[in-house]
Amino acid sequence: MRNPPALEQLVESLRCLPGVGPKSALRMAYHLLQRDRKGASGLALALDNALQVVSHCGSCNTFSEQPLCPLCASTDRDSRLLCVVEMPTDLMMLEQTQAFRGKYFVLMGKLSPLDGVGPREIHLDKLIKRAQNNIVEEVILATNYTVEGEATAHFISELLRSRGLKVSRIARGLPMGGEIEHVDSSTLAQAMMERRLVG
Amino acid sequence: MRNPPALEQLVESLRCLPGVGPKSALRMAYHLLQRDRKGASGLALALDNALQVVSHCGSCNTFSEQPLCPLCASTDRDSRLLCVVEMPTDLMMLEQTQAFRGKYFVLMGKLSPLDGVGPREIHLDKLIKRAQNNIVEEVILATNYTVEGEATAHFISELLRSRGLKVSRIARGLPMGGEIEHVDSSTLAQAMMERRLVG
Ligand SMILES: [Zn+2]
Ligand SMILES: [Zn+2]
């Protein structure tokens, strides 16, 4: 006696979610089919819709439904400053501080050779093109002050400086091992203001 | 600057999964859109398909794609014995022991007044009809030996005995607080063999 095939397939499919093992996938499937069929149907719709309409901004690489995201399309930002962050969450945290009025590039990750995340996976070719548009005057590296975030910042600074670009790093106002997503707004604003040139 | 609406909707929809809060929903949505679009699309399909084809067996109440599940449709089982379990997982664990050749009824839960799970939510009307078919001679209660499982067994035994049915309880071979899903097969087989009459 096994679960019906469609249920087994659902359990298997739920495993694509990060942090979901076989036991919790089974628990989720039971819950959805037994207690929240409306939620399950809404989730299927939301997945299909997101897959269809969400892509990446051609300029800053963040998630976007338009070819150019609202921030990149804005004429209200200083195009001479380009701030590089790991994830869209980091961009949103920085926006909340209102300490930065330039533009962004979102890596969508960080260098992590052990997980197979190299320069290509964090879109460094796209970043190089973006930074070499003859308008950008300073690239501000706002990756996390974790081991991997630091390595990523170092790698990018070498890459951009060898192409004659001015590169700075947000100040270490963050505690060691700290992540931008979890730091308070004023500390983050301080770190942005105290950014230092690299090299 | 916020996430695009379709992404926000996906994050919101992922919250219907048990144990998924706002932070992990966001992490899941990013992961799916950025690294596993194929998985996301498969999940949407699996949800739709499961919602469409998975219902409950008309006889034992477990998840089934047919009106009658394979086990209920089988002529190979002793219809005089009806074993009541909380979840399909428990049924499958018992089947693995091969210590029981009767039929089942799956409550799809346990009494839990604080969570709003009463007699109706665990389908006791369906169980009463099922047990009173003039073929069932003994109802074996195989709910967990947890506080709620015990209360459920007690409630059901009162209900069925007042209707003249013979009711037994699997032996407490399980440790106190133990759950059928996590016990080894031989202990569970022992508990089935040493079941005792209630009352
Ligand atoms: Zn953009
Ligand atoms: Zn059945």
Side-chain angles (χ1 to χ4, degrees), chain B residues 115-171:
Chain B
D115 304 318
V117 181
R120 181 177 308 173
E121 282 71 28
I122 59 170
H123 313 279
L124 293 193
D125 46 349
K126 194 169 169 183
L127 169 59
I128 290 171
K129 263 194 212 130
R130 174 71 182 85
Q132 289 188 309
N133 67 348
N134 293 321
I135 298 169
V136 172
E137 292 177 3
E138 179 182 351
V139 177
I140 303 159
L141 302 178
T143 56
N144 290 315
Y145 266 110
T146 56
V147 174
E148 286 169 333
E150 278 277 70
T152 305
H154 181 74
F155 191 91
I156 294 177
S157 78
E158 295 292 307
L159 215 61
L160 296 183
R161 284 171 57 226
S162 73
R163 284 168 175 78
L165 283 154
K166 185 166 132 188
V167 178
S168 62
R169 180 89 169 97
I170 54 167

Side-chain angles (χ1 to χ4, degrees), chain A residues 57-64 67-73 91 104, chain B residues 1:
Chain A
C57 171
S59 177
C60 76
N61 200 41
T62 197
F63 289 122
S64 175
L68 218 56
C69 77
L71 201 150
C72 285
L91 185 161
Y104 290 94
Chain B
M1 186 69 182

